[in-house]
Structures are given as C-alpha cells and as structure tokens.
C-alpha cells in the first residue's frame, strides 16, 4: 500500500474547489443513478469525502444503514455532520479502504471519485476483497474520471488529469499518478456492469455493477 494521503487539510474547501472548477457536474454524476438505488439495505461507502452523497442516499432510503470508510478524520467529521438526521443508521470508520471490515450483509458499495486515489494493485485487492465478502446481487456504484476515446479530447483530458494529480500530490501527498482501470478489477472479481452514464465528452462517468 502506498503511504496514505492526507485529505484533512483540503476537507473544508473541497466542496467549494469542486464547484469552482466543475460546477455541479460531479454532484450530478454522483446522484445520477440514485433513483435506482431503492432496494439496498446495507451500504458501504469508501472515501465519500464530505458526505454529500451519503446524506442523499440515507435521506432517500429510510430503511438503509450505511458504513462510511475514510482515511481522513476531518472528512468523516464533515460527513457525520451532514448526515446528522440519520445518525442512528450511520457508522463511520477511520481506516484505509484495504483494511475496512466488510459485513456479509452489504448489498451496496459506493466509490465516487475514490478509486483514482488508489494504485491498480490496490483497486484489484479491494475489488477481490469485496467480492469475497459479499453475496451475489450486491451492487457497486462507481463514478470516476477516464480518458475519453475521442481523438481531439484525449490530449486535453490527459493534461487535465495530470494537473489534478499534481494538485492532489501537493495538497494531500497523494502518490498515485495515473488513473487505474476499475472496470478490469471489477470484471476480474465477478462483477458485471449493468448501466453506464458519461458526461463532459466522456471525461466523467458513473456506472452500476452487480456481483454475479
Ligand atoms: C478525491 S476524494 C473524493 C471524495 C468524494 N468521494 C467525491 O466524490 O468527491 C477521496 C476521498 O477518499 C479518501 N481516501 C483517500 N485514500 C484513501 C484510502 N486509501 N482509504 C480510505 N480513504 C481514502 C480521502 O480522505 C477523501 O475523503
């Protein structure tokens, strides 16, 4: 595992930095498939940051309980504050994703703009661990950046992603420098993609996968 990044110092400005750079696009992407997530009862969210998605998920699903995993104490503090109305259904654990306990009753995994903080080997290990500890039918909602296929967009997208990694390296000490391939990891672990939505010329996507 690479040395853990420290998102504490960016936690309070994270939301505003996001709105200033990409406006509402990331939050729209996170919530794009939310209306389809009405049957899950036990969610496990990795690196949900300040908790904007967790709060929406809990509000929409009064029967659902959620466990939020994050390495950053400040992010978890913000997440708890944002989910205060559903606090009896929320558990937060400050730990690395690869060391997180996974309840066998988990039926929803959420990773929004989180897997890009991991090396490919770590994404592989996380997906394998989740597959081993969850049952068939478990859903995995994943949103992230990707380099689009479009020939004209690709170089611009590459530059943008590189700049993002440089910024996160300076601000948080993140050592990852390129996007992993979550799709390969999920497929290898027995998940199949059931839906996909992309935006901003394909630079940003969100998908639901299901454990077979
Ligand atoms: C880029 S932010 C994404 C936040 C949010 N999910 C979003 O959609 O914007 C990454 C989040 O993952 C957490 N994180 C990074 N590496 C982690 C790791 N190895 N284990 C657990 N959490 C981690 C950070 O503290 C931060 O809250």
């Amino acid at each position: 595992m690479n040395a853990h990044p420290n998102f504490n110092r960016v936690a309070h400005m994270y939301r505003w930095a996001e709105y200033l750079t990409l406006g509402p696009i990331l939050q729209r992407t996170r919530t794009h498939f939310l209306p389809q997530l009405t049957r899950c009862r036990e969610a496990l969210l990795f690196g949900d940051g300040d908790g904007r998605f967790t709060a929406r998920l809990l509000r929409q699903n009064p029967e659902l309980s959620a466990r939020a995993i994050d390495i950053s104490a400040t992010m978890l503090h913000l997440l708890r504050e944002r989910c205060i109305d559903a606090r009896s259904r929320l558990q937060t654990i400050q730990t690395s994703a690869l060391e997180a306990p996974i309840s066998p009753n988990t039926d929803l995994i959420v990773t929004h703009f989180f897997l890009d903080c991991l090396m490919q080997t770590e994404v592989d290990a996380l997906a394998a661990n989740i597959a081993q500890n969850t049952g068939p039918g478990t859903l995995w909602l994943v949103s992230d950046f990707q380099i689009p296929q479009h020939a004209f967009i690709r170089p611009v997208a590459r530059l943008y992603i590189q700049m993002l990694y440089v910024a996160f390296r300076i601000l948080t000490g993140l050592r990852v420098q390129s996007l992993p391939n979550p799709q390969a990891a999920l497929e290898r672990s027995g998940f199949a993609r059931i839906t996909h939505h992309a935006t901003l010329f394909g630079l940003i996507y969100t998908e639901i996968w299901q454990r077979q």
Side-chain angles (χ1 to χ4, degrees), residues 92-169:
T92 59
I93 304 182
Q94 188 190 353
T95 186
S96 151
L98 291 183
E99 282 149 32
I102 301 173
S103 152
N105 297 325
T106 304
D107 54 8
L108 174 65
I109 307 290
V110 179
T111 54
H112 288 306
F113 305 100
F114 163 70
L115 298 178
D116 55 9
C117 295
L118 305 183
M119 308 272 189
Q120 184 67 45
T121 50
E122 295 170 334
V123 178
D124 290 341
L126 181 66
N129 192 21
I130 288 170
Q132 265 168 29
N133 289 286
T134 56
T138 300
L139 299 180
W140 188 331
L141 175 61
V142 52
S143 305
D144 229 308
F145 295 95
Q146 67 184 356
I147 306 294
Q149 293 300 323
H150 197 292
F152 293 117
I153 307 291
R154 278 180 85 82
V156 182
R158 275 191 204 288
L159 187 65
Y160 178 74
I161 298 295
Q162 261 174 22
M163 284 166 52
L164 270 186
Y165 274 121
V166 170
F168 275 112
R169 188 175 190 120

Side-chain angles (χ1 to χ4, degrees), residues 1 4-5 7 14 18 26 30 46-49 52 69-72 75 95-98 112-114 116-118 168:
M1 178 107 193
H4 296 311
F7 277 75
Y14 192 84
E18 175 187 317
L26 294 193
R30 292 181 193 104
F46 291 96
D48 195 46
R52 276 169 286 156
I69 307 294
D70 205 296
I71 204 77
S72 159
M75 285 291 199
T95 186
S96 151
L98 291 183
H112 288 306
F113 305 100
F114 163 70
D116 55 9
C117 295
L118 305 183
F168 275 112

Side-chain angles (χ1 to χ4, degrees), residues 16-30:
W16 300 113
E18 175 187 317
Y19 289 150
L20 278 174
T21 50
L22 289 166
I25 293 176
L26 294 193
Q27 183 60 2
R28 276 194 203 140
T29 302
R30 292 181 193 104

